[in-house]
Amino acid sequence: MKTKSELFVEQRKPQWKSLRNILLIIRKGSYKALADDQISEFPRLYRQICTDLAEAKMLKLSPDVINYLNNLVGQAHRYLYGLPMIPGSQVKHFFTYDLPGILTNCGKYVCASAILFLLPTIVSYVVIYREPGYARFVMPEIVLEQMEASYQSEINSSAGPGTGAYKASFYIQHNTTIAFFSFAAGVLLGIGTIFFLVYNGIAIGTIAGYINALGYGANFWNFVCAHSVMELTGLIIAGAAGLLLGFSIIKANKYYRREWLKLQKVRILTLLCPSVFLLAIAAIIEGNISPTNLPFGIKVIVAIASACALLYYFVIMPRSHKENNF
Amino acid sequence: MKKESIEIETPEKIIFTYNISSTGTRIFAYTIDVIIQIVVVVLLILLVSSTGLFSFSLSSDGFSRELNGLLIAFAFLLYFFIQWGYFIVFEVIMEGQSPGKKIMKIRVIRTNGEPLDLPTIILRNLLRAVDAFPFYHLVGGLVSIVDSRSRRIGDIVSDTIVVKEMIFNLKEPNSFTVFLTSGKEGAFSFFNKKLNEEDLYILRRFLNEKGHLSKEKQDEIALKLAQSIKKRLQIQEEIENPLVFIERVYRGHIDENKE
């Protein structure tokens, strides 16, 4: 007479083996290496073994058997429900609908972030412009001296060919890292992001005020003007994403917190996404247009053009999409 | 209280379990990844500096400087990419693993058993900025020591968990490993005495967890257990294989309870 465990294992072992063979093939190569009948067999076998596992647990069979089935189910589950491919149509949809619409969708956070960033900038600019002596309470003197030295003389583009590219890529690395930090700090219930926004605002305002008070204003605006729109917008949007992240953790509405975060995940990252693109564009301008001795007028045009482009892509385009839908 | 395993419910409403990776294993995996990143960055710096010297010493004409500038630009971009994209790219193409995680045989999964998707991977890796504060994932490490499922902040927010990889080359259960008999079949139905729930619990724990022990340790404990069972059940026969004996006794009790 045989025991239940023995019968169980003996009867179902062939199926376990064939599932294991399929997994072995997928593990070695890819799904493409499977034979046609194996592909159709895979889900069926997987489901069969799921029930086997449940049954084995219910009958309290030997730990060996349960462990084996558990591993088999785990492996098959991972392959069957693996990382889904992203179809091209979805990418197009993302760039024509989701991405442009996100700023108006998260308008509250963008406004909050803009205020948190721009208000300290303006206040510190005005204060330092009137009393440049206060600058050394805010920024270390070495930084101020460096800034003074770099804006003392007019921009000379004798740096030569090839510098634009590496300056641009340096700015991409540097500014995006700052943006990511101020986003990620939002996980501390948004407080980290608020700190970064206010801190960066004060730093930028102080330096701008200090340089202008010393009388190098013309050089300063000549350098900063062209890329400023893209760069500041990029930083503000990264801050908005950080605030959204923090607020999603604080208030979960009617959901459990983890469910709510799962729902918000895509929204948060979509909001972060434009800041990466804007900072990349800003860096290219900052590397190739800002440090050249092009006429100031052209740089202003670049700034206005980028503002118009932002306005079109993030405000006008989503609105027209909405109208078309109705 | 630290949890050792996590139950995943499949769409078929079947529950299976993953063993959760310990913080130590994760630190090792991270160290391997950091070493890989550092090696790549150092190679990058060497490449750029050597070719840079080369082009400047040879001639400072426009073309070679242009080339040099582009090379430095490429190096910066690659550095940026390694800094933020290393884990994202590897966790996408290796489905929840990075080289370090693969070597340490661990993997990222979602706590609810759904497939790992791009937003989840991006979020959990961007939040490294917080976990890595102030250096070497100190905050993340401390959080994962405190957390019951060894998650760092990025894991908690994106609802992921790092588990031990399923063992693929598991020994297939043989009908005989389940109920290998050294003596007569069904001998245990003639026990004079029976083990109580507490004894069975000890046996069950041993059988479940013996995989974590070395072979010698297993045998040592099995021998002790077998001897005390023998005394308790008043069995006269000699025990050939303590491990098999314990399994038989346990199975005998469970099968009997079922019927």
Side-chain angles (χ1 to χ4, degrees):
Chain A
M1 199 204 89
K2 279 175 178 168
T3 61
K4 270 191 296 196
S5 305
E6 283 177 306
L7 281 174
F8 187 85
V9 174
E10 251 174 40
Q11 276 174 5
R12 321 213 170 167
K13 213 168 153 188
Q15 295 193 321
W16 300 350
K17 266 192 172 163
S18 47
L19 179 66
R20 203 163 168 275
N21 283 338
I22 292 177
L23 294 178
L24 207 64
I25 294 169
I26 299 176
R27 216 167 101 102
K28 283 256 172 65
S30 67
Y31 301 87
K32 284 170 194 156
L34 288 173
D36 285 352
D37 58 324
Q38 275 175 319
I39 292 174
S40 55
E41 275 285 273
F42 182 30
R44 196 191 64 74
L45 281 173
Y46 164 70
R47 268 179 224 119
Q48 180 57 48
I49 279 152
C50 276
T51 44
D52 286 352
L53 173 64
E55 212 169 312
K57 276 184 183 169
M58 201 184 68
L59 295 172
K60 290 204 174 65
L61 293 185
S62 141
D64 274 0
V65 178
I66 292 178
N67 203 2
Y68 177 80
L69 286 173
N70 190 62
N71 271 273
L72 217 52
V73 169
Q75 294 271 351
H77 176 264
R78 200 170 71 64
Y79 288 127
L80 202 58
Y81 299 100
L83 197 69
M85 286 289 150
I86 300 166
S89 61
Q90 211 172 318
V91 175
K92 198 185 159 206
H93 187 273
F94 179 77
F95 282 104
T96 46
Y97 294 95
D98 300 344
L99 194 61
I102 194 69
L103 287 200
T104 38
N105 181 297
C106 305
K108 272 189 294 182
Y109 300 97
V110 179
C111 288
S113 172
I115 291 168
L116 282 168
F117 178 72
L118 293 178
L119 204 65
T121 314
I122 294 165
V123 169
S124 55
Y125 177 83
V126 172
V127 170
I128 302 295
Y129 187 66
R130 294 204 170 155
E131 282 294 336
Y134 289 170
R136 58 200 69 241
F137 296 121
V138 187
M139 304 287 289
E141 268 183 60
I142 311 160
V143 176
L144 291 175
E145 280 164 18
Q146 270 177 0
M147 286 295 158
E148 200 184 325
S150 60
Y151 288 111
Q152 236 164 10
S153 53
E154 275 190 28
I155 294 164
N156 63 348
S157 59
S158 63
T163 50
Y166 84 74
K167 272 183 185 163
S169 58
F170 167 74
Y171 291 131
I172 288 178
Q173 190 271 331
H174 181 253
N175 295 344
T176 313
T177 298
I178 290 176
F180 281 166
F181 267 104
S182 60
F183 161 72
V187 82
L188 310 168
L189 309 180
I191 296 166
T193 301
I194 294 173
F195 168 78
F196 267 104
L197 284 170
V198 173
Y199 176 81
N200 285 334
I202 291 176
I204 291 173
T206 303
I207 288 167
Y210 186 70
I211 300 297
N212 275 283
L214 293 181
Y216 307 128
N219 295 339
F220 178 78
W221 295 115
N222 193 13
F223 176 73
V224 161
C225 166
H227 63 263
S228 59
V229 176
M230 285 287 185
E231 191 168 303
L232 298 187
T233 317
L235 288 175
I236 288 169
I237 291 172
L243 292 180
L244 178 61
L245 172 65
F247 199 70
S248 303
I249 294 170
I250 293 170
K251 191 161 178 276
N253 290 339
K254 289 173 282 182
Y255 296 84
Y256 285 116
R257 194 154 275 108
R258 53 145 56 160
E259 287 299 316
W260 178 243
L261 278 172
K262 194 177 117 189
L263 292 172
Q264 289 286 79
K265 209 179 287 173
V266 175
R267 195 168 166 228
I268 294 168
L269 289 173
T270 313
L271 184 54
L272 181 65
C273 197
S275 87
V276 178
F277 292 122
L278 297 193
L279 289 174
I281 297 168
I284 291 167
I285 298 173
E286 191 173 356
N288 294 298
I289 296 175
S290 298
T292 57
N293 42 16
L294 286 171
F296 185 60
I298 289 178
K299 292 181 180 177
V300 174
I301 290 170
V302 170
I304 293 171
S306 47
C308 290
L310 290 180
L311 204 66
Y312 174 75
Y313 188 70
F314 288 111
V315 181
I316 297 169
M317 201 167 96
R319 191 162 291 175
S320 66
H321 280 319
K322 218 178 260 176
E323 278 162 11
N324 289 343
N325 284 347
F326 283 122
Chain B
M1 184 65 193
K2 282 269 183 192
K3 284 188 192 150
E4 282 179 357
S5 62
I6 172 187
E7 296 193 329
I8 302 287
E9 196 183 309
T10 70
E12 293 76 24
K13 302 291 166 200
I14 299 296
I15 289 170
F16 67 97
T17 52
Y18 268 116
N19 289 330
I20 296 169
S21 159
S22 67
T23 308
T25 315
R26 295 186 61 181
I27 292 173
F28 270 115
Y30 178 66
T31 308
I32 294 168
D33 285 322
V34 166
I35 290 170
I36 293 171
Q37 284 172 299
I38 290 176
V39 166
V40 175
V41 170
V42 167
L43 285 179
L44 208 63
I45 293 170
L46 287 179
L47 181 82
V48 169
S49 59
S50 63
T51 52
L53 283 174
F54 177 70
S55 66
F56 275 118
S57 62
L58 205 68
S59 66
S60 303
D61 64 299
F63 177 73
S64 65
R65 292 192 66 173
E66 185 91 45
L67 204 69
N68 197 36
L70 285 177
L71 199 66
I72 299 172
F74 173 72
F76 264 123
L77 284 182
L78 207 61
Y79 171 67
F80 171 66
F81 187 72
I82 290 166
Q83 188 185 10
W84 292 102
Y86 175 89
F87 283 102
I88 296 176
V89 168
F90 275 120
E91 283 179 13
V92 169
I93 57 177
M94 293 168 77
E95 292 186 44
Q97 286 188 315
S98 58
K101 288 196 187 75
K102 195 179 171 81
I103 291 167
M104 296 309 293
K105 295 195 175 66
I106 54 178
R107 180 185 294 278
V108 182
I109 61 161
R110 274 172 78 178
T111 315
N112 54 14
E114 283 174 29
L116 212 54
D117 58 349
L118 194 60
T120 307
I121 291 174
I122 293 176
L123 188 62
R124 81 180 288 282
N125 284 309
L126 283 186
L127 289 176
R128 277 180 198 278
V130 177
D131 279 314
F133 186 82
F135 55 83
Y136 215 74
H137 279 49
L138 187 67
V139 168
L142 289 177
V143 170
S144 92
I145 287 170
V146 175
D147 185 74
S148 65
R149 284 177 282 177
S150 301
R151 297 170 301 172
R152 59 179 178 82
I153 292 172
D155 287 324
I156 296 171
V157 173
S158 56
D159 203 24
T160 55
I161 197 162
V162 179
V163 294
K164 288 178 191 156
E165 177 83 303
M166 289 284 183
I167 305 157
F168 195 73
N169 294 320
L170 204 67
K171 206 179 73 188
E172 273 191 40
N174 195 307
S175 334
F176 295 102
T177 61
V178 180
F179 207 94
L180 195 67
T181 46
S182 58
K184 288 143 277 179
E185 273 270 358
F188 289 117
S189 46
F190 302 113
F191 290 148
N192 299 329
K193 290 193 169 182
K194 278 198 179 129
L195 297 178
N196 59 25
E197 278 300 315
E198 225 167 281
D199 298 326
L200 285 176
Y201 172 72
I202 293 170
L203 293 190
R204 185 158 63 237
R205 277 207 60 180
F206 171 69
L207 291 172
N208 275 332
E209 292 170 20
K210 68 177 194 297
H212 299 296
L213 302 170
S214 67
K215 194 80 194 82
E216 298 86 59
K217 199 78 186 161
Q218 272 185 37
D219 289 342
E220 192 191 320
I221 296 173
L223 191 64
K224 275 188 197 156
L225 280 175
Q227 274 162 355
S228 60
I229 293 169
K230 202 177 149 189
K231 208 178 282 171
R232 185 74 61 83
L233 297 178
Q234 300 172 345
I235 296 172
Q236 311 298 331
E237 297 141 86
E238 277 301 307
I239 299 165
E240 284 175 26
N241 184 344
L243 215 59
V244 173
F245 172 75
I246 289 170
E247 204 151 321
R248 274 184 73 191
V249 172
Y250 181 73
R251 289 254 56 80
H253 278 78
I254 297 300
D255 279 357
E256 209 157 89
N257 288 349
K258 273 280 141 194
E259 276 147 18

